[in-house]
Amino acid sequence: MRPSGRQTNEMREISIETNVTMHAEGSCLIKCGNTHVLCTATIDERVPPFLKNSGLGWVTAEYGMLPRATNTRMRREAKNGQSGRTQEIQRLIGRSLRAGVDRVALGERQIVVDCDVIQADGGTRCASITGGWVALKLAVQKLMKTGDVLSDPLIDPVAAISCGVYAGQEVLDLDYPEDSEAGVDGNFVMTGGKLIEVQMSAEGSTYTRAQMDALLDLAEKGVAELTVAQMAAVA
């Protein structure tokens, strides 16, 4: 039995509220159970120096957690510098979102997606990717409305979900109590039914090929449900 009482293939409740900030070109508040992440997208008509005069656009991301996003207060990273974990997560978000972008169609501009964790209960990086795509889509819709972009540069929705082996069972969408006890933990990022990235690690026990296949099947189910929520949010 899972601590939450969910079935092994059951997601947490998903909620995506759009246009939650006044100034950002795209924004949403995504809630995956008790994990809540504010995602904003900012359009910058400049690109990083390495892309200047290339005709290619760029999408990047920044990630952070508020001090009381967790059960004990964390010190603000702005005071001490980013941890290696934070840098790894925001690089994952950026490259995941870029995998679903036609950078030629985007034009020579940059969109920065900020993901700020308000409340953490497992799966913050996955929620950031899923909500980050919604914020990105809303920003692109504004570019298309003004005629600055002529064709939609977003190829397919990008979403991510965690899966793992908890108490000997393959389970979908781990919350913190499961994540902290899981023998195997994995994050799956997908777009258009194809994999972008898989992060799998044994957290005290090894896993078989059959278990990995079972987790992938769960991830495909979860991402399909997330995609429905994403498309409803940006419709």
Side-chain angles (χ1 to χ4, degrees):
M1 175 67 72
R2 304 179 71 172
S4 63
R6 287 181 288 146
Q7 299 297 314
T8 57
N9 65 347
E10 185 179 351
M11 298 270 287
R12 292 177 287 181
E13 184 177 353
I14 303 297
S15 168
I16 304 176
E17 180 185 356
T18 58
N19 302 314
V20 294
T21 66
M22 180 188 300
H23 301 295
E25 284 78 20
S27 67
C28 78
L29 175 62
I30 182 169
K31 297 180 180 180
C32 301
N34 287 323
T35 289
H36 302 170
V37 184
L38 173 65
C39 302
T40 58
T42 301
I43 299 170
D44 186 350
E45 292 300 327
R46 300 166 298 176
V47 292
F50 68 89
L51 286 175
K52 192 173 182 180
N53 299 321
S54 68
L56 296 174
W58 190 247
V59 173
T60 189
E62 294 191 12
Y63 168 94
M65 298 182 72
L66 297 184
R68 279 314 305 265
T70 54
N71 59 355
T72 57
R73 186 184 185 277
M74 301 179 299
R75 299 190 70 182
R76 293 185 186 274
E77 289 191 321
K79 189 172 183 178
N80 302 302
Q82 285 186 327
S83 67
R85 176 182 182 274
T86 295
Q87 292 180 39
E88 184 269 326
I89 291 174
Q90 66 186 26
R91 287 170 183 157
L92 168 67
I93 298 167
R95 64 178 177 264
S96 296
L97 295 176
R98 284 194 299 273
V101 176
D102 180 341
R103 292 168 54 206
V104 174
L106 180 60
E108 198 168 311
R109 59 176 53 83
Q110 176 174 235
I111 300 180
V112 181
V113 177
D114 287 290
C115 302
D116 293 290
V117 180
I118 299 172
Q119 184 170 282
D121 186 36
T124 60
R125 71 186 69 190
C126 293
S128 296
I129 292 168
T130 303
W133 183 87
V134 171
L136 178 61
K137 178 70 171 181
L138 294 172
V140 166
Q141 286 178 346
K142 290 191 174 181
L143 286 171
M144 295 181 67
K145 186 175 182 179
T146 59
D148 292 308
V149 168
L150 300 179
S151 61
D152 192 347
L154 300 190
I155 303 164
D156 282 304
V158 175
I161 194 67
S162 65
C163 300
V165 178
Y166 172 80
Q169 291 185 306
E170 295 84 18
V171 297
L172 173 64
D173 192 17
L174 283 70
D175 53 25
Y176 180 75
E178 294 171 331
D179 188 38
S180 61
E181 298 283 337
V184 177
D185 185 18
N187 298 303
F188 297 79
V189 188
M190 302 182 70
T191 182
K194 297 180 180 179
L195 290 166
I196 295 174
E197 187 156 339
V198 176
Q199 299 178 332
M200 288 280 294
S201 59
E203 305 278 354
S205 64
T206 57
Y207 55 95
T208 65
R209 172 65 179 270
Q211 286 178 308
M212 185 171 183
D213 289 343
L215 293 176
L216 180 56
D217 289 340
L218 287 173
E220 288 179 336
K221 177 183 182 295
V223 166
E225 294 182 27
L226 291 172
T227 299
V228 170
Q230 287 175 313
M231 297 310 294
V234 302

